Amino acid sequence: MIVAKKVLLVAVLLSLTHLGFSIWSFQQGLVSEPVPVHWGLNLQPDRFVSFEQHLVEMAFLQLGSLGLLTFAAFTKRRLLSGLLTLTGAGIFLMLNLVAWVVTSIQLSGGNQAFPIYLLFGILVIPIALVVLVLRAPKVVLGEQLLIKYSSITFLTLEYSEIEAVEIVPIRAMDFGGLGVRYAKRRLAFIPRSGQAIALKLKSGESVLVYSRQPEILQTVIKGKLEQL
């Protein structure tokens, strides 16, 4: 939760920076009314409002982008906090990138088309992440237990956090779908239904990881726990 609170603090500062810069730009005459706030399918501006209305809408957008990060910072469930921090940070960065691009267009006089590369990123990046988490995760058993997708570490656990390990069946319907899911104090890495290694944590939460060879993982992890 400490990490989540630090991420939230940084996000709040970035949000205030953008809002402050927008107000300063308007006061300096760098942005004139009406300001463009929406772009159509042809990527040309098709909605203009007063700066005051734009500022209100932007403030609501910034508050909305902080929603998941705020919940992550104050929930007492460590695994849920980590998942929401990752998800919330991604949403926040994407929305703030859009906000800064909109501001740059407004600074240019409002006639600039919405950049196609950003639209492409907004569409492609979330799809790529969904495809990534639908792959079988990799469990790395070193000094710490790591759960990874490709080279990206999604979760790090100390062996001292683990109370017990067992093999359980895992079904997508129990978690509302495939991918990285959280339900009933259980964080599941589930690319498909099958068998999973279940790590019961001393915090009361559990981690379930789909595996084609859960027996091997169980044996190695038990060996690590016995060495503590």
Side-chain angles (χ1 to χ4, degrees), residues 63-107:
L63 285 173
S65 70
L66 295 171
L68 286 180
L69 290 176
T70 301
F71 190 84
F74 293 99
T75 181
K76 294 181 180 180
R77 300 181 181 182
R78 183 221 163 174
L79 298 179
L80 179 59
S81 176
L83 179 60
L84 292 182
T85 298
L86 283 174
T87 306
I91 293 174
F92 173 82
L93 290 174
M94 186 63 69
L95 290 177
N96 270 261
L97 177 59
V98 172
W100 278 105
V101 169
V102 169
T103 298
S104 70
I105 294 175
Q106 293 167 350
L107 290 170

Side-chain angles (χ1 to χ4, degrees), residues 109-169:
N111 297 317
Q112 180 181 335
F114 196 83
I116 187 65
Y117 68 85
L118 180 58
L119 180 63
F120 181 76
I122 292 173
L123 295 175
V124 171
I125 292 176
I127 295 175
L129 288 174
V130 170
V131 172
L132 179 67
V133 299
L134 288 179
R135 300 172 56 189
K138 181 180 180 182
V139 180
V140 180
L141 303 176
E143 294 184 0
Q144 298 171 310
L145 189 152
L146 308 178
I147 299 175
K148 308 180 71 170
Y149 287 97
S150 297
S151 59
I152 302 174
T153 300
F154 269 60
L155 180 65
T156 301
L157 289 174
E158 301 290 343
Y159 293 104
S160 58
E161 296 181 76
I162 302 173
E163 182 178 336
V165 55
E166 59 182 340
I167 298 172
V168 298

Side-chain angles (χ1 to χ4, degrees), residues 10 60 75 207 219:
V10 171
F60 274 108
T75 181
V207 180
T219 300

